Amino acid sequence: MAGSTSFKKKLNLLDLTFLGVGSIVGSGWLFAAQGAAVYAGPSAWLAWVIAAVAFILLGLTYAELGGMLPRAGGFVRYPNYTHGSLTGYLTGFAAMLAYSSVAGVEVEAVRGYASRWLPALATSSGGPSVWGYILEIALLVVFFLLNYWSVNVFGKVNSIVTAIKFIVPLLTLIVLLFSFHGGNYSVGGASPGGFKGVMQAVAVSGIAFAFLGWRQAVDFGSEAKNPQRHIPLAIILAISVSALLYIALQLVFIGAVPPDVLAKSGGWAHLKFSEAPYAELATSLGMLWLANVLFIDAVISPSGTGNIYVSGTTRVLFAWAKTGLFYSLFGKVDRRTGIPRGALWLSVILAIVWVLPENYSVWGGLVGAVTGATVLTYVCGPISAASLRRTSPDIHRPFRLAGLSVIAPLAFIAGSFIIYWGGWNNNSILIGMTLASLVLYFAFMDRDASWHQKLKSEWRAGIWLVVYYVFMMVMSYIGSFGPMKQPIIPYGWDLLVVAIGALLIYYWAVASALPQPVIDSDDEEDLAVKAANV
């Protein structure tokens, strides 16, 4: 790993967009439509719209950041630039949890569908058998090797896989239109139903999870040929294209469920097409050929997404190391391939840990947790973008987001809602682990002569994030999405409290940013950031 050098700039706009779309269109579309229907019934399509709007708002703030400061693993580094090591560390820890687990979710989806052909891959309860675990780990090793060779090989393989796997959802959409039953939209029985059901569907049915991959254009920013122009375009294109596809698929799924099946289940709350919703739906409609196509795609699509996330986790670990808050070994880039191979090794090891028996048994086991952990990293973007507008207005911005003063706080509120809707079980574990990890933060702080002063100033700039985490965890317990049968703050009022609390913390966070951002513009990443005030 010695002789680290710059990343290889090999990825064009199509590659970056396909990284986003390829990461988005994974196992989520195969599972989330049924889960959303259970929570929200015929209104499930609205959950996709809400999620798309939320992530577009968040994505627009990162479009400005990514064009202005193209960095590998930028999600981890931007909070560190604007608010110091405390926010950088907390964001990095949450990102490590979020990124490293997704590849495990995706290979579990592959194993789950493949078990329909090879029953030996599953136990009687549907979880992975010994052979199932071997398959999952073998897939992760394949992803590791594809990434190990070079970013050019990885990018081109991903573009081909994405082009292939995008065809199957489109085919499914067209075919199911011919079995559409408009009367299904008048059937009730969802649990809990109504707008609360829509909100729960966003966070825990897999809908928000299905959108998480849009960030890949930011993570691969240092490997883009023209990052200032292509990163913003890739983010917007990936979210928009995927949103249109997802909304259309949900509308068709609701309409294609046979009325007799819906009647037997007693409404949407008890609808269950085994562990392969679209394939089982096609089978119930007598379309065995489509079911077989869907089973094949259920191996290809999650595999493509898992491959991207192994690489994305590598960039996050690299970025965390570059902030000085993680071991420097993982911040070195291999001279020949342009890959941070130490971070890649750790990435695949973490992914394997997530698929061990103690952690995963079925696809949906930790989807809500993965979503919450990821959005915990996203919500810092609007704050970093607004803070840099205030403290460094003269930094060159190839993409300058119009209306940032309105979009950024709305994005922060939208992200806070997604975290809140995830519920107490998810948030207590995620936020609890992240806050508990602060004991490790001190292990990575430099103990030089200025240590105490640095610690004081950076805690002053970052304490808002600790307060935010505590606020979200408390609301998750006392609000209507918590474990209490009679919540202290009832439904409706709890949403208002979350929105107001998030807004107050947002303005506090922007006001508490470091007077001058600490931006690493070293030669290793070949970055040219010019600021008149630096």
Side-chain angles (χ1 to χ4, degrees):
M1 206 76 64
S4 63
T5 183
S6 64
F7 283 97
K8 307 298 184 182
K9 295 183 178 296
K10 297 287 188 179
L11 305 178
N12 57 29
L13 175 60
L14 184 64
D15 291 330
L16 290 172
T17 302
F18 272 16
L19 279 169
V21 174
S23 188
I24 291 172
V25 184
S27 61
W29 84 271
L30 292 162
F31 293 93
Q34 176 177 270
V38 169
Y39 282 108
S43 300
W45 65 272
L46 184 56
W48 292 98
V49 174
I50 291 173
V53 170
F55 286 116
I56 285 175
L57 289 172
L58 288 164
L60 286 172
T61 64
Y62 279 101
E64 175 165 312
L65 289 167
M68 175 175 56
L69 299 169
R71 297 293 198 274
F75 286 86
V76 177
R77 299 169 83 171
Y78 301 141
N80 191 67
Y81 295 161
T82 58
H83 289 80
S85 60
L86 176 60
T87 55
Y89 173 81
L90 289 172
T91 304
F93 187 86
M96 183 179 69
L97 293 178
Y99 273 68
S100 63
S101 59
V102 175
V105 175
E106 298 298 343
V107 296
E108 166 57 26
V110 173
R111 195 278 316 161
Y113 267 83
S115 65
R116 300 296 294 252
W117 293 315
L118 301 170
L121 296 176
T123 63
S124 58
S125 62
S129 64
V130 172
W131 286 109
Y133 285 118
I134 292 174
L135 173 65
E136 292 176 1
I137 293 172
L139 283 172
L140 291 172
V141 171
V142 170
F143 302 158
F144 168 81
L145 292 174
L146 285 174
N147 283 273
Y148 192 84
W149 288 327
S150 76
V151 69
N152 192 37
V153 171
F154 164 77
K156 300 312 174 187
V157 168
N158 175 72
S159 294
I160 293 170
V161 170
T162 300
I164 294 172
K165 73 179 186 177
F166 203 70
I167 294 172
V168 177
L170 288 174
L171 175 65
T172 304
L173 174 64
I174 294 170
V175 171
L176 292 183
L177 275 173
F178 291 96
S179 300
F180 194 87
H181 305 283
N184 288 357
Y185 279 85
S186 62
V187 177
S191 177
F195 194 63
K196 184 175 182 180
V198 170
M199 291 183 287
Q200 282 189 292
V202 170
V204 296
S205 73
I207 288 179
F209 173 82
F211 277 107
L212 297 181
W214 63 268
R215 66 182 182 260
Q216 299 298 340
V218 177
D219 289 335
F220 286 81
S222 290
E223 291 141 284
K225 292 180 179 179
N226 186 359
Q228 286 79 11
R229 175 174 173 79
H230 290 166
I231 289 176
L233 286 174
I235 290 172
I236 295 169
L237 285 172
I239 296 175
S240 300
V241 169
S242 302
L244 289 174
L245 176 64
Y246 281 146
I247 293 167
L249 281 167
Q250 182 70 67
L251 289 169
V252 169
F253 181 88
I254 294 292
V257 175
D260 60 322
V261 172
L262 197 55
K264 289 179 182 178
S265 65
W268 296 104
H270 303 290
L271 178 69
K272 185 166 180 63
F273 284 114
S274 185
E275 293 183 3
Y278 275 105
E280 292 295 330
L281 174 58
T283 301
S284 70
L285 294 171
M287 301 177 184
L288 296 180
W289 67 270
L290 178 59
N292 287 326
V293 169
L294 287 163
F295 279 123
I296 294 172
D297 181 71
V299 174
I300 295 175
S301 291
S303 293
T305 302
N307 182 35
I308 294 172
Y309 269 94
V310 168
S311 193
T313 305
T314 299
R315 272 71 184 171
V316 166
L317 295 172
F318 168 87
W320 202 16
K322 290 294 291 181
T323 65
L325 299 170
F326 200 44
Y327 297 105
S328 60
L329 168 67
F330 304 114
K332 297 181 183 298
V333 181
D334 179 72
R335 181 182 299 277
R336 184 176 63 83
T337 62
I339 297 293
R341 284 185 166 176
L344 177 59
W345 275 103
L346 181 57
S347 171
V348 75
I349 290 170
L350 289 172
I352 290 173
V353 169
W354 280 109
V355 303
L356 294 179
E358 291 81 2
N359 296 292
Y360 272 115
S361 59
V362 294
W363 180 85
L366 280 180
V367 164
V370 171
T371 300
T374 306
V375 179
L376 282 174
T377 67
Y378 285 172
V379 293
C380 291
I383 289 170
S384 291
S387 297
L388 285 171
R389 284 280 188 94
R390 185 175 68 84
T391 62
S392 301
D394 296 320
I395 291 182
H396 177 55
R397 291 170 169 81
F399 175 80
R400 186 179 180 88
L401 178 61
L404 179 71
S405 61
V406 175
I407 292 174
L410 287 178
F412 188 75
I413 292 172
S416 300
F417 277 149
I418 293 175
I419 295 168
Y420 175 62
W421 297 338
W424 167 253
N425 289 338
N426 288 329
N427 293 334
S428 60
I429 295 172
L430 290 172
I431 297 176
M433 287 178 63
T434 303
L435 291 176
S437 76
L438 279 174
V439 296
L440 301 176
Y441 164 76
F442 296 97
F444 293 105
M445 285 287 290
D446 294 329
R447 300 300 202 278
D448 55 22
S450 62
W451 180 70
H452 287 289
Q453 183 58 39
K454 180 181 179 182
L455 187 65
K456 182 178 179 181
S457 64
E458 296 197 350
W459 271 73
R460 187 184 302 117
I463 194 64
W464 65 268
L465 187 55
V466 175
V467 174
Y468 174 70
Y469 283 175
V470 172
F471 168 71
M472 293 304 300
M473 190 156 65
V474 170
M475 285 303 301
S476 296
Y477 186 78
I478 66 176
S480 67
F481 290 82
M484 297 182 177
K485 292 184 178 180
Q486 296 294 328
I488 295 174
I489 304 179
Y491 173 67
W493 288 106
D494 58 339
L495 300 178
L496 181 62
V497 172
V498 169
I500 293 174
L503 194 63
L504 292 174
I505 292 173
Y506 167 84
Y507 286 112
W508 173 22
V510 172
S512 65
L514 297 173
Q516 291 291 334
V518 182
I519 300 174
D520 55 6
S521 54
D522 56 10
D523 293 335
E524 182 170 288
E525 293 182 73
D526 194 25
L527 299 169
V529 180
K530 183 178 181 181
N533 61 335
V534 175

